[in-house]
Amino acid sequence: MNTRNNLDEYQSIVRALSDRIVEAQTPVRVLDAVKWDENTRQGFFAAKGRELPKIDRGYYEGRPLAFDSSAKKQEFQDIERDITRQLGQFNPVGQIMRRMCKEYRMVIRMLEARGTPDFGMISQELYGAASDAFHAGDPTLADLGLMLSDYLNNIADRGDLRDEPKNLTAPQAVELLQKRLDVVFGEGEGVIRVFESDGILADAAAGADYIKIRSDALFNERDVRALEVHEGLVHVGTTLNGQNQPICTFLAKGPPSSTVTQEGLAILMEVIAFASYPTRLRKLTNRTRAIHMAEEGADFLDVFAFFREQGYGDDESYSNASRVFRGSTPDGLPFTKDLSYLKGFIMIYNYIQLAVRKGQLEQIPLLFCGKTTLEDMRTLRQLVDEGMVVPPKYLPQQFQDLNALSAWMCFSNFLNHLSLDRIEADYANIL
């Protein structure tokens, strides 16, 4: 394997261009740029939840980006130009890097448009819309959200499916999660750090080599298991695998197109590791439904009421609704990033099914070699063969030994050809 100290001329050129992309994207932090502050929350509840949050174009103008947007767009344009000049128009790795530059420029345009209708429209270009179909004639993401909600409603009243009490404090969750991750990533090596934080809105958040746990949050063991596979094995694991790349260092960082792959992998891992559960799935379907509502004209108050109808308390309903409109206005088009979970799951599942059907199992683990996108997978296979990309160092057990996954996908490929409506009619007398 090539190391970073013995690259040939071509590899050195690719590495230098790749490093420039990594460096250029460093200050571009989408979630930090679109979040609403605590004063907005307090103002909403001070008005008894009857008035739209005080968010407009001026709100975002008062919170300038951490970089010069015009200069940053030019920087990515210059990198893209140099990629073509130095690698040529049709070089495979060059095509990936040029697409990344274009995508980052679009991200910056979206952030420049915070508080305007353009923000939501660019968001749909980057992350998709709830009304998008997976393939011609197939259901949309909105259809999927409603379908899953119906299934969940059918089992909602079962006492044996209720969530266990959240009796683990943040320090206890940190200790348990650290022990679990040490088993996978190496005990005592400090590869992944788990620690408390009081500066995050979510219960947990992953970084390059760490997972933060919110100090005042409560958990149960099922929550910790989900964090292990979702944040640890996928998000942090793929980051570390990307950082392990000696040439294509851009794989350590991901534009929005890789977010779909990342979240799809994370949800798939939850499912095949038996770490998911109905409450978790309902959270994802509700986010999808809420985004679709906003696309159809619902405002913040409508979405807030929707989450309350789903059984959430006021604080959590506000947090969920603000996820939909962050970066936008309370009566504008939504920020559609949260579609990535269900959209990514379907796309990754279909990709793995197809890889098994075609006998190309070697393609599947490459999903973990960094922040990948599905459209690049054939090229990544070629780059691995050429020694330009190294296979993933950290790989979940389910993807190390593909026996069980392959068997499952073989059955799944067959079951896809059966009609559930016909089965339901045939089974009417026995179920």
Side-chain angles (χ1 to χ4, degrees):
M1 183 184 74
N2 288 312
T3 67
R4 297 184 177 186
N5 297 321
N6 65 348
L7 305 181
D8 62 29
E9 182 180 5
Y10 169 65
Q11 293 168 340
S12 296
I13 292 173
V14 172
R15 168 63 190 270
L17 292 166
S18 181
D19 284 348
R20 287 175 63 187
I21 294 175
V22 172
E23 178 66 24
Q25 64 80 46
T26 299
V28 183
R29 292 290 172 260
V30 173
L31 299 186
D32 286 343
V34 302
K35 65 184 180 183
W36 295 358
D37 61 17
E38 180 59 26
N39 290 336
T40 304
R41 174 192 288 266
Q42 293 176 1
F44 176 77
F45 286 115
K48 310 296 184 183
R50 297 171 184 163
E51 300 176 6
L52 293 175
K54 307 300 182 183
I55 299 288
D56 56 16
R57 174 66 169 167
Y59 171 86
Y60 297 106
E61 290 176 339
R63 289 155 179 78
L65 299 174
F67 54 90
D68 182 326
S69 60
S70 295
K72 187 59 66 177
K73 286 187 294 185
Q74 185 61 53
E75 183 179 1
F76 280 114
Q77 180 69 58
D78 292 343
I79 296 172
E80 183 179 348
R81 178 201 61 207
D82 289 344
I83 290 170
T84 301
R85 286 178 176 174
Q86 298 179 39
L87 298 179
Q89 184 71 27
F90 301 109
N91 178 272
V93 70
Q95 290 178 331
I96 294 176
M97 291 193 288
R98 279 204 309 274
R99 192 203 70 243
M100 291 181 70
C101 290
K102 288 183 172 69
E103 202 168 325
Y104 278 123
R105 289 205 307 277
M106 188 179 294
V107 168
I108 295 167
R109 290 199 300 272
M110 180 183 73
L111 297 182
E112 289 177 324
R114 292 174 301 166
T116 74
D118 283 347
F119 175 87
M121 289 188 286
I122 298 174
S123 171
Q124 290 183 355
E125 287 189 57
L126 289 169
Y127 300 102
S131 54
D132 292 345
F134 290 100
H135 306 284
D138 280 356
T140 65
L141 275 170
D143 295 331
L144 175 62
L146 287 171
M147 186 185 306
L148 291 176
S149 292
D150 288 342
Y151 298 159
L152 291 167
N153 288 338
N154 289 338
I155 60 175
D157 296 329
R158 292 186 58 92
D160 56 340
L161 294 183
R162 289 178 183 170
D163 292 348
E164 299 90 341
K166 294 182 181 292
N167 51 16
L168 294 177
T169 63
Q172 291 171 322
V174 165
E175 181 181 6
L176 180 57
L177 182 56
Q178 185 71 69
K179 288 180 179 178
R180 287 180 174 273
L181 293 175
D182 284 345
V183 172
V184 179
F185 292 93
E187 186 174 359
E189 293 182 9
V191 176
I192 295 185
R193 297 171 294 122
V194 185
F195 56 87
E196 292 181 64
S197 173
D198 57 5
I200 58 175
L201 295 178
D203 288 345
D209 61 353
Y210 62 83
I211 297 175
K212 297 188 291 188
I213 301 295
R214 201 180 77 219
S215 299
D216 61 349
L218 292 174
F219 303 85
N220 55 39
E221 290 197 18
R222 194 181 297 273
D223 295 328
V224 174
R225 174 62 173 154
L227 289 174
E228 175 194 354
V229 299
H230 188 114
E231 306 291 351
L233 300 187
V234 176
H235 290 333
V236 180
T238 53
T239 298
L240 294 175
N241 288 332
Q243 292 175 342
N244 192 50
Q245 296 295 333
I247 301 170
C248 295
T249 55
F250 62 80
L251 285 169
K253 304 294 180 182
S257 59
S258 70
T259 300
V260 176
T261 306
Q262 278 287 296
E263 300 301 354
L265 270 179
I267 298 303
L268 177 65
M269 271 300 303
E270 288 185 33
V271 172
I272 64 179
F274 288 93
S276 193
Y277 46 98
T279 300
R280 168 68 171 159
L281 182 55
R282 186 178 290 277
K283 180 184 294 186
L284 301 180
T285 59
N286 284 338
R287 289 177 183 174
T288 300
R289 293 177 63 188
I291 288 173
H292 185 241
M293 288 175 60
E295 289 175 353
E296 295 295 303
D299 64 17
F300 184 92
L301 295 179
D302 298 321
V303 175
F304 177 78
F306 164 74
F307 280 109
R308 291 193 65 188
E309 291 169 0
Q310 300 305 307
Y312 295 96
D314 285 353
D315 284 340
E316 197 166 4
S317 294
Y318 176 90
S319 296
N320 287 329
S322 63
R323 290 179 69 104
V324 175
F325 292 96
R326 53 188 169 167
S328 184
T329 57
D331 57 355
L333 288 172
F335 180 47
T336 58
K337 175 183 177 294
D338 279 346
L339 297 178
S340 301
Y341 297 91
L342 294 184
K343 178 180 180 180
F345 171 77
I346 298 298
M347 293 177 67
I348 293 294
Y349 190 90
N350 287 341
Y351 176 80
I352 295 176
Q353 269 195 320
L354 191 59
V356 171
R357 182 187 299 182
K358 290 180 169 292
Q360 298 178 2
L361 301 184
E362 68 280 356
Q363 293 280 116
I364 298 174
L366 298 184
L367 290 163
F368 288 86
C369 68
K371 304 301 183 184
T372 61
T373 62
L374 281 182
E375 64 186 279
D376 295 334
M377 294 311 299
R378 175 179 288 185
T379 301
L380 286 176
R381 174 73 260 174
Q382 176 184 339
L383 294 175
V384 169
D385 293 341
E386 294 174 357
M388 297 290 291
V389 169
V390 298
K393 177 180 179 181
Y394 300 108
L395 195 60
Q397 189 276 330
Q398 292 85 349
F399 288 84
Q400 293 176 26
D401 180 354
L402 294 175
N403 277 287
L405 189 62
S406 297
W408 179 14
M409 291 300 172
C410 286
F411 278 113
S412 181
N413 271 303
F414 171 74
L415 294 174
N416 285 343
H417 292 83
L418 301 181
S419 168
L420 282 179
D421 290 337
R422 184 65 260 167
I423 292 172
E424 183 177 2
D426 290 347
Y427 282 30
N429 294 326
I430 62 175
L431 183 63

